[in-house]
Structures are given as structure tokens and as C-alpha cells.
Amino acid sequence: MEKGQIHIYTGDGKGKTTAALGLAVRAAGAGKTVYIGQFIKDMEYHEVGVLRSLKGVTVELYGSGDGCFIDRVPAQKDLDAAAAAVKKATEAASGGKYDVVILDEINIAHTLRLITEQQMLDIMSKKAEKTELVFTGRNCPQSVMDKADLVTEMKEIRHYYSTKGLLARDGIER
């Protein structure tokens, strides 16, 4: 049996989720089962429907509980949604049902104080032996990166958000 590895895609550059979803498509194409849990996201981005149409792919949006809270302190609903998300994520990673488990924006959930560093480490330590586990999002804690088998940092050199004021566009960033 092949041992699954732990991947981290982090950094300030664009492409963390895109890299993880590319891995999901590749794995599904090889007949592997894939679970994608998206922290923070309440709305379906355009890739979700396509991913759900692939055989063997499960996508769940964990949401934030009480809408966008980036400019406010998380409410109890937000913390409750995060706790439920950690439970689902742990079950997906530890249950042995999935070959690949992607926890999109889990690092951001930690940055926003919705989940703890210890919860992230617990998910990693409970992962089924054959499961490939992927964490995405900027600001990954060092202890989490230290435990990973692969860490890729996306580095921004130039971004049209900063240089041209372009916001997220349909089919490109969302």
C-alpha cells in the first residue's frame, strides 16, 4: 500500500487553491476518490459544479456561519461552523474512504482564529495512512509546515489587483 503524503500550498501569491484543485482533477482522472472541504466559503465558486460532476469527487462548503467576517470578530455562529468543519475534515482525512483530502483555506480559518493550530495538527496526525492530505491558504503555521511532506509557497511578484485594481473575476479567480 502506498503511503499518502501531506501537502501544504501557502504564501501570498495566487494559485494555492488552483494547484490543489488541479491535483483533485488529476486524482479523479486516475480513478481515485477525492474529498474537498472548503473552509470560509459560503458560496459556490464556478469550479464546484464541475468538480462535483466528476466521478469519485465530493465537495463540501463549510461556510463561515454568519457571512463574511474578515473585518469583524467571529461570532458564535462562525465558531460553531468552524467546529463542525473540523469534525467533517477529520472524518474525511481519517476514515480511509478518500484517497485525496483537500482542506481549502484551512490556513485562513486558523489565521481568523476559527480553528486552532492544534486542531490542524490533529487532522494531520489522524490522517489515514494511504490518504493524501492537502492544506491550502496563506499564513500556514510553522508547526504545521514542519509536519508536512511537501510545502509549496506561492510568492507574489506582481498581481493585477495591486497594479490595476482588478477584483476577482468570474472564471478566473472565482
Side-chain angles (χ1 to χ4, degrees):
M1 174 170 58
E2 191 174 300
K3 185 176 189 281
Q5 304 298 303
I6 299 173
H7 306 224
I8 305 290
Y9 302 142
T10 192
D12 291 332
K14 184 178 182 311
K16 297 170 288 291
T17 296
T18 304
L21 299 184
L23 176 63
V25 170
R26 177 178 286 159
K32 296 186 179 294
T33 55
V34 179
Y35 176 89
I36 303 166
Q38 293 190 314
F39 282 82
I40 311 300
K41 297 176 180 173
D42 287 315
M43 62 177 259
E44 282 196 16
Y45 287 74
H46 294 294
E47 68 270 12
V48 172
V50 171
L51 289 164
R52 284 186 175 146
S53 74
L54 299 175
K55 183 179 181 201
V57 176
T58 301
V59 181
E60 288 193 270
L61 305 180
Y62 297 151
S64 60
D66 201 19
C68 184
F69 57 86
I70 289 180
D71 294 329
R72 66 174 173 78
V73 175
Q76 189 59 49
K77 280 184 178 179
D78 303 317
L79 298 171
D80 293 344
V86 167
K87 184 175 190 242
K88 286 180 180 181
T90 303
E91 289 169 358
S94 66
K97 177 179 176 184
Y98 299 101
D99 298 306
V100 177
V101 172
I102 297 168
L103 300 178
D104 186 38
E105 302 293 9
I106 190 170
N107 300 335
I108 296 297
H110 170 264
T111 299
L112 295 173
R113 296 184 175 90
L114 292 170
I115 66 171
T116 67
E117 193 169 320
Q118 188 58 53
Q119 287 173 308
M120 296 173 74
L121 292 167
D122 288 347
I123 293 168
M124 294 169 88
S125 67
K126 293 176 181 175
K127 142 188 130 46
E129 186 175 359
K130 71 174 186 118
T131 299
E132 203 82 7
L133 180 63
V134 180
F135 286 2
T136 75
R138 58 186 70 213
N139 303 321
C140 186
Q142 187 63 51
S143 66
V144 173
M145 289 193 288
D146 290 345
K147 193 169 180 178
D149 301 297
L150 178 149
V151 177
T152 298
E153 181 180 10
M154 309 300 191
K155 180 180 175 187
E156 180 181 321
I157 306 297
R158 180 180 307 112
H159 196 298
Y160 37 76
Y161 172 78
S162 303
T163 61
K164 298 180 179 181
L166 287 177
L167 300 178
R169 298 166 296 150
D170 280 349
I172 306 299
E173 287 86 23
R174 58 176 181 197

